[in-house]
Amino acid sequence: QVQLVESGGGLVQPGGSLRLSCAASGSIYGINTMDWYRQAPGKERAFIARVTAGGATTYTDSVKGRFTISGDNAKNMVTLQMNSLTPEDTAVYYCKMNIRPVWTPTWYEYWGQGTQVTVSS
């Protein structure tokens, strides 16, 4: 079983920066990627960034150039550096680990409980 815990959320002014972290523990092995999602009130949960074990990254267009995702395999952590924040970035941010054990083609998904990010003056 895998457990994920997000941290680093809080209140930040527009134009400011915030760094989120997600620590993973448990039976982590095989092919894996880690994602960040976010969900604003009344909105669908949306993908924003992914990093693979090899360090390859992808971003949704709305955060590209402002957010940076990075993973640390040794520490089983993923971070999201968020710069140039706007009120539209206000949401609960969730990390997700996707794991495919080497002996199966099945992917397993694990979610954290989320951390609130509020961008406001």
Side-chain angles (χ1 to χ4, degrees):
Q1 186 62 37
V2 175
Q3 297 82 43
L4 304 175
V5 179
E6 302 97 337
S7 62
L11 176 65
V12 64
Q13 294 182 333
S17 298
L18 206 61
R19 183 178 176 87
L20 306 182
S21 297
C22 177
S25 62
S27 300
I28 304 170
Y29 47 82
I31 306 299
N32 67 89
T33 65
M34 294 190 73
D35 305 340
W36 284 100
Y37 284 70
R38 66 186 181 187
Q39 186 169 24
K43 306 294 184 181
E44 298 287 338
R45 188 173 298 186
F47 168 88
I48 54 174
R50 169 172 292 174
V51 61
T52 70
T57 59
T58 57
Y59 301 90
T60 192
D61 287 343
S62 62
V63 308
K64 190 173 298 183
R66 299 189 299 121
F67 292 9
T68 302
I69 187 172
S70 61
D72 187 327
N73 292 338
K75 298 180 180 179
N76 290 323
M77 293 185 65
V78 63
T79 64
L80 185 69
Q81 178 65 48
M82 305 184 294
N83 299 324
S84 302
L85 287 163
T86 74
E88 289 70 38
D89 296 315
T90 296
V92 177
Y93 284 69
Y94 300 88
C95 65
K96 178 167 75 78
M97 175 172 281
N98 316 289
I99 302 175
R100 185 180 68 79
V102 296
W103 58 85
T104 179
T106 301
W107 284 89
Y108 298 87
E109 299 180 349
Y110 302 91
W111 290 87
Q113 293 300 305
T115 185
Q116 177 70 49
V117 171
T118 302
V119 185
S120 179
S121 298

